[in-house]
């Protein structure tokens, strides 16, 4: 181990494709994610398509959003899709009993979500209700969405403005079925899943990619039971949910902006735990599915803090700091490096909820540091993973220590290599050298995201405090190595040709 980080990349041995779906997002009927987020009051003076906010759409198109998960989360297992179609004036007002006990006018339903995905240019990922619904509801929803012939349901779709089938593929069946999705045992869930998935039929050449509700964090037993009891043909994927709690205590999660080094360290350390989880789940899945046909779908991840003071505790509105950017970048490095098994993931959540990409205040929006990471990292979507390793001194706090630097690398179809390096150490710039085995770099460009403190954030008064900048702190040495200096709390992506 060194004072200097030595990063070695097997540049001449491209491995599997990093699925773009690892860079997916999540929009729940929760707080101000849909209502007053994506979907705004008709009177609001912003550029809109119907009631969909186009500044948000443009920002998400800019990061190549590949898929969007909807309508929950916990809300999915309360959601009755029929309440959200047809004449908006006739849609029932229902209760969102899980998130803030607010009423739901159902003005944003299936057809509105499909239109949003179309504007975003991304694939829809629907989360189907198992907790308070029936296999028939799932069956009918898919007929409404995907069937090509004339039936009562497809005629309804036509009346609602969409003659052609939508052709949705990604369907989650149940959400957190071990908790808010029905408080089931894994045995019971697996039996239910076998029934529900049977009616998730492929219509008109639109095959469904079925995703089972997998474990929470370290619930290895849940995963093992599902893998044993659900036939493999019935699983495109199985999900994993893991949230970073900086304090390690769900009862007192800590502030999003007001924290010391102890809590900073706790945040990044607990985020890095994703790597351990993925290693363990991958090992278990390899036992049952050595051909790696079943995807691990991390469809909820991110840091979860206390809400901003004075906001509705049921709305999960939190600010987003430089710590969040480092967590996002490190997690995406972990996903890239596990992309043989992790083929989809969804940050929680896109707008105004948890580790958001975008925050809004009436007409204003701001792009969070996490947003800027997704923009920097979009170069890895659909590129081939390059194996990388890093040797460096640990970042120590008190008696604990974590690797101070992490990395992932890929090679795109255009032949460009991208290396994304994270320095988690808040106290030290780290000198680094990048060794590209089997590749002679001719041209190098760099991009950097950093800030003086881990508590820095973009506010509505100062929305561009943390933005990416060109990075010039590298040098190609005579022996072909690239040397550079990584500022404290920084993320650097090198583009190498
Ligand atoms: O993302 C917020 C909530 O976290 C989701 O609704 C639920 O699935 C998870 O517990």
């Amino acid at each position: 181990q060194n004072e200097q980080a030595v990063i070695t990349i097997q540049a001449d041995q491209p491995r599997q494709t990093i699925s773009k779906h690892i860079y997916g997002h999540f929009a729940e009927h929760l707080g101000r994610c849909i209502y007053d987020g994506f979907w705004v009051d008709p009177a609001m003076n912003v550029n809109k398509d119907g009631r969909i906010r186009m500044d948000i759409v443009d920002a998400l198109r800019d990061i190549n959003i590949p898929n969007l998960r909807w309508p929950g989360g916990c809300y999915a297992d309360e959601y009755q899709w029929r309440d959200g179609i047809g004449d908006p004036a006739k849609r029932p007002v229902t209760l969102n009993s899980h998130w803030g006990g607010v009423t739901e006018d159902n003005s944003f339903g299936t057809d509105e979500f499909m239109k949003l995905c179309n504007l975003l240019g991304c694939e829809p990922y629907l989360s189907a209700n198992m907790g308070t619904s029936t296999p028939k509801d799932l069956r009918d929803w898919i007929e409404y969405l995907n069937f090509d012939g004339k039936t009562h349901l497809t005629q309804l779709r036509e009346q609602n403005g969409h003659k052609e089938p939508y052709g949705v593929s990604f369907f989650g069946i149940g959400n957190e079925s071990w908790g808010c999705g029905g408080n089931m045992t894994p045995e019971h869930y697996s039996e239910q899943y076998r029934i529900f998935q049977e009616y998730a039929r492929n219509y008109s050449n639109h095959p469904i990619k079925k995703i089972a509700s997998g474990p929470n964090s370290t619930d290895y037993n849940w995963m093992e039971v599902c893998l044993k009891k659900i036939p493999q043909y019935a699983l495109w994927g199985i999900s994993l949910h893991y949230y970073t709690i900086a304090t390690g205590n769900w009862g007192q999660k800590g502030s999003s902006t007001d924290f010391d080094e102890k809590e900073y360290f706790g945040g990044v350390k607990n985020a890095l735990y994703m790597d351990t989880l993925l290693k363990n789940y991958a090992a278990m899945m390899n036992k049952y599915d050595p051909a790696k046909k079943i995807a691990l779908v991390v469809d909820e991840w991110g840091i979860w803090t206390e809400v901003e003071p004075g906001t509705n505790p049921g709305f999960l509105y939190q600010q987003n700091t430089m710590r969040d950017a480092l967590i996002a970048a490190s997690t995406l490095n972990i996903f890239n490096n596990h992309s043989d098994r992790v083929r989809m993931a969804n940050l929680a959540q896109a707008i105004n909820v948890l580790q958001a990409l975008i925050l809004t205040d009436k007409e204003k929006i701001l792009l969070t540091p996490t947003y800027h990471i997704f923009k920097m990292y979009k170069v890895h979507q659909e590129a081939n993973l390059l194996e990388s390793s890093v040797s460096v001194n640990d970042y120590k706090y008190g008696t604990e220590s974590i690797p101070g630097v992490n990395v992932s690398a890929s090679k795109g179809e255009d032949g460009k290599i991208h290396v994304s390096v994270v320095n988690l150490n808040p106290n030290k710039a780290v000198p680094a050298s990048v060794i590209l085995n089997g590749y002679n770099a001719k041209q190098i460009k760099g991009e950097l995201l950093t800030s003086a403190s881990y508590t820095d954030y973009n506010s509505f008064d100062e929305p561009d405090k943390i933005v990416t900048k060109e990075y010039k702190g590298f040098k190609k040495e005579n022996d072909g190595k690239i040397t550079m200096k990584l500022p404290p709390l920084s993320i650097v992506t090198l583009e190498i040709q």
Side-chain angles (χ1 to χ4, degrees):
Q1 295 241 316
N2 318 287
E3 220 19 72
Q4 203 200 43
V6 180
I7 297 166
T8 310
I9 294 167
Q10 304 307 116
D12 55 351
Q13 293 167 38
R15 308 240 315 248
Q16 74 277 350
T17 304
I18 298 171
S19 169
K20 64 179 178 182
H21 289 295
I22 283 178
Y23 291 80
H25 292 284
F26 175 28
E28 181 166 12
H29 286 235
L30 193 180
R32 297 192 303 114
C33 185
I34 298 290
Y35 298 106
D36 202 27
F38 282 106
W39 186 251
V40 291
D41 194 287
M44 190 185 267
N45 189 18
V46 291
N47 183 18
K48 303 187 289 298
D49 186 325
R51 291 177 59 182
I52 296 174
R53 225 184 138 143
M54 290 307 288
D55 48 2
I56 287 181
V57 168
D58 292 342
L60 295 180
R61 284 186 73 96
D62 254 13
I63 59 169
N64 290 354
I65 177 174
N67 70 71
L68 187 62
R69 178 172 182 249
W70 176 83
C74 295
Y75 183 71
D77 282 285
E78 294 194 348
Y79 187 60
Q80 311 300 331
W81 69 271
R82 285 188 180 77
D83 291 345
I85 58 166
D87 180 356
K90 295 194 180 134
R91 296 187 194 177
V93 173
T94 52
L95 170 65
N96 187 338
S97 66
H98 205 89
W99 299 117
V102 292
T103 54
E104 157 72 59
D105 68 6
N106 284 296
S107 56
F108 188 89
T110 299
D111 296 295
E112 290 78 18
F113 175 66
M114 295 308 299
K115 177 167 178 186
L116 171 63
C117 289
N118 186 263
L119 291 170
L120 291 168
C122 78
E123 280 204 51
Y125 171 14
L126 293 175
S127 195
N129 181 345
M130 178 190 274
T132 64
S133 195
T134 61
K136 178 172 178 345
D137 285 327
L138 171 60
R139 184 221 159 275
D140 288 357
W141 202 13
I142 298 175
E143 182 183 321
Y144 179 86
L145 287 158
N146 286 358
F147 186 56
D148 208 0
K150 254 197 175 151
T151 64
H152 162 66
L153 286 170
T154 60
Q155 280 178 308
L156 268 183
R157 185 184 70 221
E158 189 172 341
Q159 277 165 35
N160 295 337
H162 214 273
K163 187 168 186 303
E164 299 307 318
Y166 286 114
V168 177
S169 354
F170 293 118
F171 262 89
I173 304 182
N175 169 74
E176 299 196 348
S177 303
W178 36 263
C180 67
N183 204 9
M184 301 178 201
T185 62
E187 288 78 11
H188 183 73
Y189 173 75
S190 300
E191 293 302 326
Q192 288 288 106
Y193 180 90
R194 292 174 70 116
I195 302 169
F196 272 70
Q197 69 77 32
E198 187 61 27
Y199 299 98
R201 299 229 152 104
N202 300 335
Y203 299 119
S204 322
N205 290 323
H206 300 304
I208 303 288
K209 294 177 174 148
K210 303 168 191 175
I211 300 166
S213 168
N216 181 33
S217 185
T218 53
D219 188 353
Y220 296 107
N221 179 52
W222 183 281
M223 176 65 99
E224 185 132 39
V225 172
C226 289
L227 290 172
K228 273 188 193 152
K229 292 203 171 276
I230 300 174
Q232 290 195 2
Y233 67 79
L235 284 173
W236 180 83
I238 181 155
S239 72
L240 165 68
H241 287 185
Y242 175 66
Y243 284 99
T244 297
I245 307 296
T247 57
N249 175 0
W250 277 90
Q252 270 179 312
K253 295 183 279 295
S255 157
S256 67
T257 53
D258 184 13
F259 52 87
D260 57 12
E261 189 173 347
K262 181 169 185 237
E263 241 168 81
Y264 165 74
F265 181 88
V268 290
K269 177 179 147 228
N270 292 343
L272 293 183
Y273 190 66
M274 180 70 87
D275 192 50
T276 306
L277 286 174
L278 296 185
K279 276 188 189 130
N280 292 345
Y281 281 116
M284 183 183 281
M285 291 175 83
N286 289 347
K287 183 168 135 200
Y288 294 92
D289 170 34
K292 300 189 183 175
K293 289 196 174 137
I294 303 171
L296 186 56
V297 176
V298 190
D299 59 13
E300 286 188 32
W301 67 273
I303 180 165
W304 190 324
T305 67
E306 294 301 331
V307 299
E308 290 312 297
T311 63
N312 186 331
F315 281 14
L316 310 186
Y317 178 77
Q318 64 191 46
Q319 246 298 356
N320 195 289
T321 60
M322 190 61 214
R323 176 177 66 178
D324 295 49
L326 292 153
I327 286 175
S330 303
T331 306
L332 292 172
N333 280 344
I334 293 170
F335 290 161
N336 286 346
N337 291 329
H338 283 280
S339 53
D340 58 333
R341 189 57 91 171
V342 178
R343 295 200 279 275
M344 191 168 192
N346 301 76
L347 175 70
Q349 298 194 6
I351 319 290
N352 291 329
V353 170
L354 299 177
Q355 189 172 347
L357 297 170
I358 298 175
L359 302 177
T360 69
D361 180 12
K362 303 195 181 73
E363 279 80 13
K364 293 189 202 161
I365 68 169
L366 71 77
L367 307 175
T368 64
T370 298
Y371 172 92
H372 293 295
I373 292 300
F374 274 82
K375 195 159 179 193
M376 275 177 98
Y377 271 62
K378 70 180 178 181
V379 291
H380 295 297
Q381 292 188 17
E382 299 296 308
N384 285 98
L385 181 76
L386 298 176
E387 196 177 299
S388 56
S389 57
V390 51
S391 151
V392 70
N393 275 349
D394 280 353
Y395 159 38
K396 296 196 174 96
Y397 183 82
T399 55
E400 294 188 284
S401 61
I402 53 174
V405 172
N406 63 74
V407 64
S408 73
S410 68
K411 186 172 188 179
E413 260 192 11
D414 56 6
K416 289 180 186 163
I417 291 177
H418 291 99
V419 183
S420 293
V421 189
V422 180
N423 178 15
L424 295 171
N425 198 313
N427 308 314
K428 258 196 223 161
V430 175
S433 60
V434 181
I435 301 161
L436 290 168
N437 281 337
Y439 195 85
N440 184 17
K442 290 184 193 73
Q443 244 185 303
I444 308 168
K445 284 202 286 190
E447 203 179 11
L448 167 74
L449 191 81
T450 187
S451 200
S453 167
Y454 35 68
T455 55
D456 287 347
Y457 58 90
N458 293 337
S459 65
F460 290 99
D461 294 332
E462 211 182 343
D464 294 330
K465 187 177 173 74
I466 305 174
V467 290
T468 51
K469 294 186 184 71
E470 190 184 349
Y471 174 70
K472 293 191 176 150
F474 59 81
K475 188 170 167 230
K476 190 183 160 195
E477 305 292 343
N478 290 336
D479 60 1
K481 241 183 355 215
I482 302 164
T483 52
M484 58 182 177
K485 196 155 199 178
L486 301 166
L489 304 171
S490 68
I491 301 104
V492 168
T493 292
L494 295 180
E495 180 179 295
I496 303 166
Q497 274 179 290

